[in-house]
Amino acid sequence: MTQDAAILRIDPRDDVATALVALAPGDSAGGVTVRGEIPAGHKLALRAIAKGAPVLKYGWPIGRATADIAAGDHVHSHNLATALQGLEDYAYAPQAPEPLAGSDASFLGYRRTDGRVGTRNEIWILCTVGCVARTAQRIAEAAAKRFAGRVDGVIALTHPFGCSQLGDDLSATRKMIAQLAGHPNAGGVLIVGLGCESNQLGPLLETLEGVAPERLRAFSAQMSEDELEEGLACVEALVAVAEQDRREPCPVSDLVIGLKCGGSDGFSGLTANPLVGRIADKVAGAGGTAILTEIPEIFGAERLLMARATDAAVFDGVVKVVDDFRRYFIAHGEPISENPSPGNIAGGITTLEEKSLGAVQKAGRGQVTEVLRYGDRATCPGVVLLEAPGNDAVSSTALTAAGATVILFTTGRGTPLGFPAPTLKIATNSGLAQRKPRWIDFDAGTIAAGQSMDTAADALMRVVLAAASGRQTRAEENGEREMAIWKRGVTL
């Protein structure tokens, strides 16, 4: 990596560098004279690139030049386009695993009877169907006041589905709710049903695994004389059990972290994402688990993950989940490169390859040990790949259902949204951190200003351990807790 006050070049093979500050015509940077306005976070051509030639960043192609590019030019959507198309052929070519220095630190967590460790001891109120979503919220609001201070919180996690769903779509909704009901951050769970929905309460309860009877309550609102009072009575019984739980010292090997980025910008792949990759290495190196998702946002960088598969079966799993997602786009008549978003583009990201190569850095350097389908739960330490789309709420809910007890969420544009597991927002640039201090938990923009990655990683690890030990994240302080389900099937 080559950096001066104006630009950062990631790999010596790169044709472009990222502007750390806004550049004007006539400025000198990277040994070239700037030929046009280049906003901070956008790309500067370091050498001439012929039309049709691949453009390299991160040492990998991020697309092809759509026009001749001169050294000093601004490289963006006007002269660079994706080269991604349809399905691709992959060959298993494993790399030797890199040794990881795990963290020997600890945090204060709640050890559950199945051995998993929660970072919160909350009462979660779930619903079978969107018709009783507001009922669940009303119960949670009243219970949070009535039982304040006895547990870490009473939270309603609701969704609009569960009725008029069929087949695999209905099964996915049921599975997602069941996995959340068994999450270690929930010291008790109340499931509120309606009575006539497709997602019937009885079949849902039959799918629950490892949830102790004393930590579970459920009822159908149609069969209740007063659903609010019945709900509060259920929560009171759950609180009486959960308030006996105590935090205890737990090693980092007990951590399961979710890795997510949203509202990325040109700094994401330079600061926050590789920084989170250092945390993933500390956790995985200690025997913990780091879960990466957003499959459409690894297109163009999937070979980096495939090369890190622990064996051929895991490699095949990565290929299958990538190919299935590409087919999902194609079947709906959409190009697989329908990304980055308008906010990403404004922040300096031009193509999906560029976004993906930055995004996969959140997974660090550890081996990929397991591939999960949507709604599955992680069972292996190391880096785990989870099937889910890029949508922030859908993928973060899937990360929680897969077992993540803390989510590390990098962002260059900012978002107030919070998710079922405590979510740390990590700003890719200091401007965002200074502008939105009530949203942002950590400023990774200091790396662009010259702070070493090691120093920043040590600081972020302390923040992660504090959150895992009970310190509220900004989203929790703001009452931002949402879930979302990926709906792919027919609605009746």
Side-chain angles (χ1 to χ4, degrees):
M1 183 179 291
T2 304
Q3 180 175 351
D4 61 29
I7 64 165
L8 190 149
R9 184 185 197 178
I10 299 167
D11 188 283
R13 296 168 292 180
D14 288 351
D15 299 308
V16 296
T18 300
L20 300 176
V21 296
L23 300 175
D27 287 347
S28 178
V32 301
T33 300
V34 177
R35 289 164 49 90
E37 300 286 345
I38 302 179
H42 285 238
K43 293 175 289 298
L44 166 73
L46 297 175
R47 60 173 68 99
I49 307 167
K51 180 179 179 179
V55 177
L56 269 59
K57 182 181 177 183
Y58 304 102
W60 285 73
I62 60 170
R64 293 189 178 277
T66 58
D68 288 336
I69 299 172
D73 278 352
H74 179 205
V75 178
H76 200 30
S77 49
H78 60 286
N79 55 14
L80 173 64
T82 181
L84 292 177
Q85 302 179 35
L87 301 179
E88 298 186 14
D89 294 324
Y90 304 106
Y92 181 44
Q95 295 177 348
E98 294 190 43
L100 302 179
S103 172
D104 59 1
S106 64
F107 67 101
L108 297 175
Y110 295 97
R111 189 169 296 281
R112 304 304 184 186
T113 55
D114 63 359
R116 294 188 297 159
V117 173
T119 63
R120 296 293 181 271
N121 191 38
E122 299 172 328
I123 306 301
W124 285 5
I125 303 179
L126 308 174
C127 60
T128 60
V129 64
C131 306
V132 288
R134 184 60 191 137
T135 299
Q137 291 169 347
R138 288 171 57 225
I139 295 169
E141 290 164 2
K145 295 177 182 177
R146 184 175 297 186
F147 308 116
R150 295 176 62 181
V151 290
D152 289 344
V154 181
I155 309 296
L157 298 171
T158 64
H159 60 91
F161 304 125
C163 192
S164 304
Q165 288 184 279
L166 300 170
D168 291 343
D169 197 41
L170 174 60
S171 296
T173 294
R174 180 178 295 139
K175 188 174 184 180
M176 182 61 57
I177 297 168
Q179 294 286 39
L180 291 174
H183 196 276
N185 282 9
V189 174
L190 167 61
I191 304 178
V192 180
L194 178 61
C196 58
E197 65 270 35
S198 301
N199 187 26
Q200 285 284 294
L201 186 58
L204 169 62
L205 294 175
E206 291 174 0
T207 67
L208 300 187
E209 295 181 2
V211 183
E214 68 272 15
R215 295 182 184 270
L216 176 67
R217 293 292 186 276
F219 70 89
S220 293
Q222 288 174 345
M223 302 300 292
S224 176
E225 182 176 345
D226 186 329
E227 63 274 13
L228 179 59
E229 285 305 316
E230 183 165 354
L232 287 170
C234 289
V235 173
E236 184 172 21
L238 295 169
V239 168
V241 174
E243 68 180 344
Q244 306 303 316
D245 300 334
R246 296 291 182 270
R247 290 187 182 271
E248 62 181 74
C250 300
V252 170
S253 58
D254 287 323
L255 267 183
V256 182
I257 59 172
L259 311 174
K260 177 74 181 81
C261 52
S264 301
D265 68 356
F267 292 100
S268 296
L270 312 181
T271 59
N273 288 350
L275 177 62
V276 165
R278 296 291 185 95
I279 305 303
D281 288 345
K282 290 175 182 289
V283 171
T289 304
I291 309 175
L292 179 71
T293 187
E294 303 177 281
I295 301 301
E297 298 185 14
I298 68 170
F299 292 168
E302 64 268 35
R303 284 180 170 80
L304 296 176
L305 297 174
M306 291 173 182
R308 290 160 49 188
T310 52
D311 54 39
V314 173
F315 167 81
D316 289 341
V318 179
V319 172
K320 186 72 163 59
V321 79
V322 169
D323 281 352
D324 284 354
F325 230 116
R326 286 178 181 245
R327 291 189 182 98
Y328 173 65
F329 276 73
I330 294 167
H332 286 79
E334 299 292 344
I336 65 169
S337 58
E338 193 59 31
N339 208 335
S341 70
N344 298 154
I345 294 170
I349 297 175
T350 308
T351 65
L352 180 51
E353 297 100 308
E354 180 182 10
K355 185 175 183 180
S356 295
L357 287 163
V360 298
Q361 294 186 65
K362 300 192 302 296
R365 299 174 292 112
Q367 286 191 291
V368 180
T369 58
E370 187 175 25
V371 179
L372 305 176
R373 287 298 183 164
Y374 179 71
D376 286 349
R377 179 186 295 176
T379 61
C380 292
V383 176
V384 173
L385 184 64
L386 168 66
E387 177 191 34
N391 178 275
D392 290 349
V394 172
S395 57
S396 295
T397 302
L399 285 168
T400 307
T405 53
V406 177
I407 294 174
L408 308 187
F409 188 110
T410 67
T411 180
R413 312 293 288 179
T415 177
L417 199 59
F419 309 107
T423 304
L424 291 165
K425 301 289 177 56
I426 302 159
T428 69
N429 62 85
S430 295
L432 171 61
Q434 294 161 6
R435 190 170 64 255
K436 288 293 184 181
R438 289 180 297 134
W439 290 2
I440 299 300
D441 297 274
F442 191 86
D443 178 14
T446 55
I447 295 168
Q451 184 183 38
S452 76
M453 192 71 73
D454 288 340
T455 299
D458 289 342
L460 178 55
M461 191 66 187
R462 290 192 292 270
V463 172
V464 172
L465 294 173
S469 299
R471 181 186 294 172
Q472 285 199 324
T473 65
R474 297 298 191 196
E476 289 176 297
E477 291 174 350
N478 297 333
E480 295 277 359
R481 299 289 290 277
E482 302 290 342
M483 69 168 286
I485 293 174
W486 186 20
K487 190 180 187 310
R488 291 172 281 180
V490 172
T491 299
L492 290 173

